[in-house]
Amino acid sequence: MKFLPADLNALIRSRRSIFPASYVDREIPRAIIEQILENANWAPNHRHTEPWRFKIFTGAARQRLGEFLANYYETHTAPEKFSPMKLKKTMKKPLQSACVIAICMQRDPAERVPEWEELAATACAVQNMWLSCTAYDIGCYWSSPKAIQLADQLFPLAAGEKCLGFLYMGYHQMEAVPGKRTTVAEKLVWFED
């Protein structure tokens, strides 16, 4: 099987964070969500621990997620920092999204690898999801609100499992925005002899 490097390069370089305020009211078919999650399942991971776990919120479940996030913001924000507008935005984000996926990491019970490797593997799974969303013209972004510290109040977590954030997803009509990166040459040190 031969893949064209130019297609891969274009896909990687066109990946962007696209936020719920830009999503349109259109469901993502379950088969596409499942394909995106299947692609996540093929992320590299040391000792085949496959630490990624996902909790998927669609339909009315998004309301429950919005209420959880808004309640956390309301009860954990100092009065001088509290913003009614942020409260409303926090509640609304899941409802603007067609799908929200809680990104979780399940620590290997035998701890055969350092925890950072399992976090890195989970991040690789999310990158696979992000690239898949890009290929399907689905916008997404990874958010890690402080509320994830209490995720076990929203959904069950196994022993050693922790929530790392939420991937908000939705179709959009945004024009492609050029990416911004400094040159890779500034980040390289070559050893040739």
Side-chain angles (χ1 to χ4, degrees):
M1 183 179 315
K2 179 78 171 148
F3 300 99
L4 297 176
D7 292 338
L8 177 62
N9 295 343
L11 178 63
I12 290 171
R13 294 173 192 176
S14 62
R15 183 214 52 79
R16 298 285 177 275
S17 292
I18 300 175
F19 303 98
S22 300
Y23 300 164
V24 297
D25 186 17
R26 179 177 163 201
E27 282 188 37
I28 301 171
R30 186 177 179 129
I32 290 178
I33 295 170
E34 289 173 347
Q35 184 60 62
I36 289 166
L37 292 167
E38 181 63 31
N39 290 347
N41 198 43
W42 286 90
N45 60 106
H46 192 191
R47 295 193 179 264
H48 302 284
T49 60
E50 300 181 24
W52 44 83
R53 300 292 185 272
F54 304 109
K55 322 295 187 202
I56 302 98
F57 292 83
T58 60
R62 297 170 303 142
Q63 175 78 29
R64 187 166 50 95
L65 174 59
E67 289 169 359
F68 169 79
L69 294 170
N71 181 57
Y72 182 91
Y73 176 76
E74 198 165 23
T75 58
H76 290 82
T77 303
E80 66 275 10
K81 293 186 176 185
F82 183 82
S83 162
M85 182 175 262
K86 182 165 182 178
L87 177 66
K88 184 177 179 181
K89 183 179 175 184
T90 299
M91 176 68 189
K92 194 173 171 184
K93 277 191 331 186
L95 297 174
Q96 292 172 314
S97 306
C99 175
V100 183
I101 299 177
I103 302 159
C104 299
M105 186 272 296
Q106 175 65 58
R107 184 77 169 106
D108 176 32
E111 297 186 6
R112 295 173 293 161
V113 298
E115 184 179 35
W116 75 263
E117 289 189 15
E118 296 190 312
L119 290 166
T122 303
C124 286
V126 174
Q127 176 72 346
N128 283 2
M129 293 167 69
W130 218 320
L131 293 173
S132 299
C133 284
T134 302
Y136 282 108
D137 285 326
I138 295 169
C140 66
Y141 97 104
W142 185 352
S143 173
S144 298
K146 290 182 181 179
I148 62 175
Q149 299 168 24
L150 300 179
D152 61 338
Q153 294 178 11
L154 180 62
F155 46 74
L157 290 170
E161 184 180 9
K162 66 172 73 168
C163 183
L164 305 177
F166 298 99
L167 189 71
Y168 291 86
M169 299 167 50
Y171 287 106
H172 63 95
Q173 295 177 333
M174 289 185 60
E175 295 295 321
V177 177
K180 298 174 189 172
R181 293 290 187 274
T182 58
T183 176
V184 72
E186 298 172 21
K187 303 164 187 138
L188 305 177
V189 177
W190 291 85
F191 299 97
E192 296 178 331
D193 290 324

